[in-house]
Amino acid sequence: MNIAAPLFEMEVAPRFGFADRVLVGQARDGAVVEWSIVAMAPESTLLERLALLRQHGVVVLICGGFPRRFEPLALEMGIRVIAGAISGAKEAIETIAQGGDVVTIGGCPGRGMQNRRRCGRLQRRR
Amino acid sequence: MGENTTQLFPLIFDSINDGVFTVDEHFRITSFNAAAARITGIPVQDALGRRCHEVFRADICQNRCALRHTLETGIPLRDVRVDVLNADMDAVPIEVSTAILRDKEGRMVGGVEIFRDVSDVELLRSELSNRHIFEDMVGASGAMQEIFATIPQVAQSDAPVLVRGPSGTGKELVAGAIHNLSLRRSGPFIRVNCGALPDTLLESELFGHAKGAFTGAVASRVGRFAQADRGTLFLDEIGDISPAFQVKLLRVLEEGEYQPLGDSRLHVADVRLVCATNRNLEKMVQDGEFREDLYYRIRVVTMDIPPLRERREDIPLLVEHLMKRICARIGRPVPAFASRTMRLLYDYDYPGNVRELRNILERAAVLCRGATFDTTCLPPEVLSAAGRPVSAIRSAETPDETTEAGQLRAVLDKVLWNRSRAARILGISRTTLWRRMKDLGLA
């Protein structure tokens, strides 16, 4: 399972759609066994970015901001989005690989909308 | 300042309708008012201590952060248009202004950002824009609004229409709109450029020909009249047809029948005729160049499209509309226009009208890759039309206060591009200044 997080320095980027690079971790048995960086063309669309991640086998995308209206599209493409993440990119990927929760602020995409009432609260997200 | 007044600050801070927050030098939020919490959907207690990009998730956070710009250059920004994602990950359009925060000794301790939700403004703008777009035509001017109001009425009848206007004003769009709104909309819309064909070819093109009608007519061919049956036939550049062909066309219009070349039978076509010209047909009639009877036959209803220079108020709308289309076609983000660029586009006379404007924008979209189009994206004819040499305009460009490049250029101009002096004025190191200049293409 490949898990991705767009980079803002070494943190999870505030917006997936504007990040230049994405950190991808290959998770196996609860640990990340291989790291790689995927470069994003600056003017590529969200769809192109998601398609590129899919080509790299990414199934989970952890990011700061991800427009809610694109979440169904991402799911259709086979990528679950965990938005609102506010941590180091590597740490976030490792946490998800271990089955843990990522610290988020606001945002519920990726968890379905059943948790909408919790939106806007600091929380831990798996 | 009295103690009582100071105690009121939190109250005032939370009473403001605009979002306000402050950050320290590491961009950690140190205060966050109630409006900021309302607009972002992030509670105050969650926002405090977080880095601002974690809370705002704006489209500028990563590469064009307004607050970072202000902290690094000392230059405040005003009304920068930004999209943020709120707690529900819905995009919220805001306008931000930034400034530096200093302590009593004048040392920088952080920055302040004031922002307001402009969703309503954007909604109104969008509604207004829709009102100014009619069947692919754009115009807020009185002349265009009148045309937009007339077209639906004209479309309801089968009366011939003459659309007049200079080249490139969109006469075909008017003809197309008449067809699309008419009862014939399910039928064909056929366009013929009369000016492009000599008489014999035009006759064959319009009426068709039988096999063997002339040398090379190896098969019979259906003419445009037949193709336009139960639809609309648009005859462009009707003023360019010869006197001999005017007679033939008049006969068809009067009798409702036509005869393909080399065919002895008369054919009937149920066609609505829309003609267009960029020539002064009335004068041509007076000068005996255009038949008066044909003129009155084709101009039961006339619609005049003014040249673009006579409806300059439409230019910004057209720029926005055309640019969106061009960018969608070539797959690039829609750029912003520096105020000076828009001014030059507004002032230019457009001898080629909307078509020329579209070509100018197409050229810019291909050649300029930045997020903001400055005057260097415009062709020489637009720049030189401003009455100054191209180089003078480029060097004397009014800085756009919302762009860092514009701000930096203004400061550098003042000190004759002496970087040490510019760095002193801005309160930053020469290295930082140099890096910013390099990033912004100023070095």
Side-chain angles (χ1 to χ4, degrees):
Chain A
M1 176 173 83
N2 282 0
I3 305 164
L7 288 167
F8 181 43
E9 294 166 357
M10 290 315 291
E11 290 181 43
V12 174
R15 286 280 278 268
F16 168 60
F18 295 89
D20 300 330
R21 296 175 309 144
V22 175
L23 181 65
V24 177
Q26 191 186 347
R28 197 178 301 150
D29 301 328
V32 178
V33 293
E34 195 177 328
W35 295 98
S36 60
I37 298 269
V38 177
M40 295 280 161
E43 288 174 358
S44 54
T45 63
L46 206 63
L47 185 67
E48 291 167 332
R49 287 164 177 260
L50 288 169
L52 185 60
L53 288 190
R54 203 65 198 92
Q55 283 171 23
H56 284 81
V58 170
V59 292
V60 178
L61 170 66
I62 307 162
C63 58
F66 189 90
R68 186 156 60 100
R69 64 196 166 100
F70 287 109
E71 193 210 350
L73 177 74
L75 275 175
E76 267 181 33
M77 295 173 80
I79 298 176
R80 183 166 68 92
V81 179
I82 298 174
I86 47 171
S87 64
K90 200 172 171 195
E91 175 201 335
I93 291 173
E94 283 170 339
T95 303
I96 292 296
Q98 290 159 10
D101 294 330
V102 176
V103 178
T104 62
I105 182 172
C108 288
R111 292 295 299 269
M113 292 295 116
Q114 72 273 25
N115 285 344
R116 286 290 294 277
R117 66 186 180 280
R118 294 174 63 200
C119 285
R121 295 281 183 273
L122 274 173
Q123 54 195 276
R124 296 195 75 82
R125 304 270 300 284
R126 186 182 311 219
Chain B
M1 205 172 289
E3 199 177 319
N4 287 343
T5 314
T6 311
Q7 285 170 348
L8 284 174
F9 278 170
L11 197 61
I12 297 167
F13 191 58
D14 279 335
S15 305
I16 303 169
N17 205 30
D18 286 350
V20 184
F21 72 96
T22 56
V23 294
D24 63 17
E25 290 158 291
H26 307 291
F27 299 95
R28 292 207 177 273
I29 294 174
T30 49
S31 61
F32 197 73
N33 77 345
R38 176 173 44 79
I39 295 168
T40 60
I42 307 285
V44 175
Q45 65 272 23
D46 287 354
L48 292 175
R50 308 278 9 147
R51 293 179 71 185
C52 53
H53 71 256
E54 296 173 340
V55 171
F56 286 91
R57 302 174 282 237
D59 50 357
I60 61 168
C61 282
Q62 200 132 343
N63 304 311
R64 299 182 291 123
C65 173
L67 206 44
R68 181 178 293 275
H69 158 85
T70 297
L71 294 193
E72 286 182 357
T73 64
I75 301 169
L77 293 177
R78 283 199 309 272
D79 300 333
V80 180
R81 172 67 174 72
V82 173
D83 270 332
V84 299
L85 291 178
N86 67 11
D88 286 348
M89 295 292 159
D90 288 323
V92 180
I94 61 171
E95 282 183 355
V96 310
S97 299
T98 57
I100 279 187
L101 277 183
R102 296 185 190 279
D103 63 13
K104 286 176 186 167
E105 282 74 43
R107 286 186 302 253
M108 188 182 81
V109 292
V112 58
E113 184 166 309
I114 301 171
F115 60 99
R116 62 172 176 274
D117 183 347
V118 292
S119 304
D120 291 344
V121 178
E122 298 267 311
L123 190 66
L124 276 174
R125 189 177 291 160
S126 155
E127 282 178 3
L128 208 57
S129 163
N130 288 338
R131 208 177 300 160
H132 294 152
I133 297 175
F134 182 85
E135 286 281 318
D136 241 17
M137 288 176 285
V138 179
S141 60
M144 292 310 289
Q145 289 292 308
E146 201 174 309
I147 288 170
F148 296 169
T150 311
I151 287 174
Q153 297 172 40
V154 170
Q156 296 311 305
S157 82
D158 261 353
V161 180
L162 177 63
V163 186
R164 300 184 292 203
S167 291
T169 46
K171 295 186 287 294
E172 186 174 355
L173 288 179
V174 172
I178 291 170
H179 172 75
N180 290 339
L181 295 175
S182 73
L183 296 173
R184 294 172 174 271
R185 61 181 165 270
S186 55
F189 175 77
I190 304 290
R191 175 185 184 265
V192 179
N193 185 341
C194 301
L197 300 169
D199 270 14
T200 46
L201 277 181
L202 186 59
E203 189 172 353
S204 160
E205 180 76 13
L206 284 181
F207 308 133
H209 62 252
K211 184 180 177 182
F214 49 84
T215 310
V218 290
S220 57
R221 181 182 183 281
V222 173
R224 298 294 193 176
F225 262 94
Q227 288 175 12
D229 193 32
R230 299 186 185 196
T232 304
L233 180 63
F234 174 52
L235 299 182
D236 201 3
E237 298 187 31
I238 190 78
D240 291 356
I241 61 173
S242 71
F245 194 77
Q246 288 174 28
V247 178
K248 288 178 185 166
L249 186 60
L250 178 65
R251 196 181 308 137
V252 173
L253 297 182
E254 281 181 339
E255 293 163 12
E257 293 173 335
Y258 65 94
Q259 200 170 6
L261 279 172
D263 192 335
S264 56
R265 290 167 302 170
L266 285 172
H267 294 243
V268 179
D270 175 16
V271 166
R272 201 262 172 90
L273 194 66
V274 178
C275 300
T277 184
N278 58 9
R279 302 180 68 176
N280 186 340
L281 287 191
E282 270 184 42
K283 188 168 183 307
M284 287 178 72
V285 168
Q286 284 168 12
D287 296 344
E289 294 171 15
F290 201 86
R291 291 185 65 94
E292 189 173 12
D293 38 11
L294 178 60
Y295 174 61
Y296 287 111
R297 176 66 68 173
I298 61 173
R299 57 139 287 179
V300 176
V301 178
T302 57
M303 300 184 77
D304 292 306
I305 312 180
L308 192 51
R309 67 178 172 277
E310 288 178 15
R311 51 181 185 106
R312 288 188 196 277
E313 61 268 48
D314 290 343
I315 291 172
L317 275 175
L318 276 164
V319 168
E320 189 185 338
H321 177 75
L322 294 172
M323 205 59 189
K324 273 184 193 164
R325 289 209 150 183
I326 293 165
C327 290
R329 201 182 66 236
I330 65 176
R332 62 156 290 166
V334 180
F337 283 79
S339 53
R340 174 77 181 143
T341 312
M342 191 56 95
R343 184 76 234 174
L344 287 177
L345 286 171
Y346 186 87
D347 287 342
Y348 182 57
D349 271 348
Y350 300 97
N353 291 295
V354 181
R355 186 183 293 131
E356 185 178 7
L357 173 59
R358 192 183 60 215
N359 291 344
I360 288 169
L361 298 176
E362 292 237 19
R363 174 188 180 276
V366 171
L367 296 180
C368 298
R369 303 308 296 173
T372 302
F373 281 5
D374 61 18
T375 56
T376 56
C377 299
L378 299 178
E381 63 269 23
V382 178
L383 297 171
S384 54
R388 279 181 290 165
V390 173
S391 56
I393 286 177
R394 283 180 179 165
S395 62
E397 180 171 46
T398 310
D400 181 346
E401 291 188 349
T402 63
T403 68
E404 185 178 348
Q407 296 267 2
L408 263 186
R409 197 181 293 126
V411 174
L412 288 161
D413 281 345
K414 274 183 199 157
V415 295
L416 302 174
W417 289 71
N418 180 321
R419 287 202 294 276
S420 301
R421 287 181 62 201
R424 261 201 308 278
I425 288 173
L426 297 171
I428 57 176
S429 70
R430 283 185 77 239
T431 319
T432 304
L433 175 65
W434 176 246
R435 201 181 65 240
R436 299 308 301 153
M437 286 173 66
K438 226 171 142 189
D439 287 349
L440 297 166
L442 296 173

